[in-house]
Amino acid sequence: MTSVAYLGPEGTFTHEAARRWAAHRGVVADEPRPLASVGAVYEAVAAGTHDFGIVAIESTVEGYVVPSLDAIVEARDVVAIDETVLDISFDALVRPDHGTLTEVSAHPHGLAQCQEFVSRTGLQAVPATSNAAACRDAAPHQVALGPSICADLYGLEVHESAVQDYQGARTRFFTLAHRDRALEIARSQGPAPEGWRTVLAITPTVTGPGVLARITAAFAQCGVNMSSVITRPIKARDGWYVFVLTVDAAPWEPGLRAVLTALLAARDGVKTLGVLPTRAEIEHSPSHQHLPRGSAVHSDPEDVLGAALVWGDGE
């Protein structure tokens, strides 16, 4: 039987993602095993004590989950081979014997996604290691924010349903495997119907003006689309950064292979963090309604452009 590890305890969104991924991919697995930390999930996969690991990587509300992102950047023997996306909804849960409610507890990302509820109730926010841990450990004076499954798992009552700020919020979860198995797993899946996406860590060893422009130009010259770029600091090195890029190609395809060869020739440090089948529902061109509030577009009148761009009237 295949074994799957995830950040516990039972009842987290990551637990649900682990179950959903195994069912979707037809993986015959034991019940996913909860571990105490994101680091423990990576260590279990690297050591071979579990075949796969599931970790949250990005929220459509709060962005990247930094501990998970930093862990995969630093992991020598672990790579992402798939992903699962969940719609995220939070219930406000309380113990049946609760008294006066003075605190609300959840993972920091959960608290951030339910700010309106926290503000409206005036409860003091108390971070927890996970949303499920907040539900499991709820005290009589606390409201716990978590998935609806936690009510049954931990004997809680629903105080309010669907208290998240944004309806339709989603979280992506990476499926992790040992690096030695990544190519074998990808090939066993056959051609990805929607193509492949690769997540890369690129670390320039020669810095100066135009470094990022040089890196991005390499992808454009080889016809490889870049859909995301973020930076993470190199630990204990002030002013040095790793660029984490997501591109629409697989490392073994000619275009991306040419880019990687060029980056290596330029003495950049290059590492593949994940090779994932592209999801059919990914939107490559956001509509105007999804732009940050106050953004300008070419068709806006001059007063709107001036307010958004702070460029004055040309005088």
Side-chain angles (χ1 to χ4, degrees):
M1 295 284 284
T2 299
S3 59
V4 181
Y6 69 94
L7 173 62
E10 290 182 298
T12 59
F13 290 113
T14 315
H15 185 190
E16 182 181 350
R19 286 179 165 181
R20 184 174 296 188
W21 174 77
H24 176 68
R25 292 300 183 191
V27 174
V28 180
D30 294 324
E31 175 63 20
R33 172 78 180 277
L35 299 182
S37 67
V38 169
V41 175
Y42 277 85
E43 290 168 7
V45 175
T49 54
H50 288 281
D51 300 297
F52 300 102
I54 307 293
V55 296
I57 194 67
E58 185 183 19
S59 160
T60 57
V61 176
E62 287 300 300
Y64 278 94
V65 181
V66 171
S68 294
L69 180 62
D70 285 351
I72 200 167
V73 169
E74 292 296 326
R76 177 185 296 274
D77 297 320
V78 176
V79 65
I81 51 88
D82 207 350
E83 67 180 0
T84 302
V85 178
L86 293 184
D87 294 322
I88 302 299
S89 179
F90 287 86
D91 285 347
L93 305 172
V94 296
R95 285 173 46 163
D97 62 345
H98 74 84
T100 301
L101 300 171
T102 59
E103 295 179 348
V104 55
S105 184
H107 185 275
H109 274 221
L111 291 170
Q113 293 182 63
C114 303
Q115 289 182 13
E116 190 279 331
F117 173 83
V118 175
S119 175
R120 170 168 54 83
T121 59
L123 300 173
Q124 180 180 351
V126 177
T129 56
S130 71
N131 300 309
C135 296
R136 180 196 63 195
D137 302 332
H141 65 283
Q142 286 183 325
V143 174
L145 304 177
S148 57
I149 189 177
C150 286
D152 291 334
L153 278 174
Y154 300 115
L156 302 177
E157 295 179 346
V158 177
H159 183 63
E160 285 190 41
S161 297
V163 298
Q164 67 275 8
D165 296 341
Y166 297 93
Q167 303 304 314
R170 310 179 90 190
T171 295
R172 290 197 301 135
F173 299 82
F174 273 171
T175 300
L176 309 173
H178 198 282
R179 186 170 292 272
D180 290 346
R181 299 183 58 207
L183 195 56
E184 166 201 342
I185 292 169
R187 286 174 172 167
S188 70
Q189 297 182 59
E194 303 294 331
W196 297 92
R197 288 185 301 135
T198 299
V199 184
L200 300 165
I202 301 174
T203 310
T205 60
V206 178
T207 61
V211 169
L212 182 56
R214 172 182 60 77
I215 291 172
T216 56
F219 289 91
Q221 290 164 4
C222 293
V224 177
N225 182 61
M226 182 187 306
S227 56
S228 173
V229 56
I230 61 172
T231 60
R232 293 299 300 152
I234 295 177
K235 305 303 182 187
R237 291 297 303 270
D238 185 31
W240 288 65
Y241 297 91
V242 178
F243 298 113
V244 181
L245 285 68
T246 302
V247 300
D248 298 332
W252 54 83
E253 294 174 339
L256 183 50
R257 191 179 184 97
V259 176
L260 299 178
T261 300
L263 294 175
L264 291 170
R267 293 189 285 170
D268 296 321
V270 186
K271 177 183 178 183
T272 294
L273 306 181
V275 185
L276 318 167
T278 298
R279 302 193 318 274
E281 69 270 23
I282 287 181
E283 298 180 16
H284 291 284
S285 299
S287 64
H288 288 176
Q289 69 183 22
H290 294 129
L291 299 177
R293 294 176 183 175
S295 295
V297 296
H298 69 93
S299 58
D300 285 332
E302 191 64 31
D303 60 331
V304 174
L305 295 175
L309 304 177
V310 197
W311 64 5
D313 57 7
E315 296 181 358

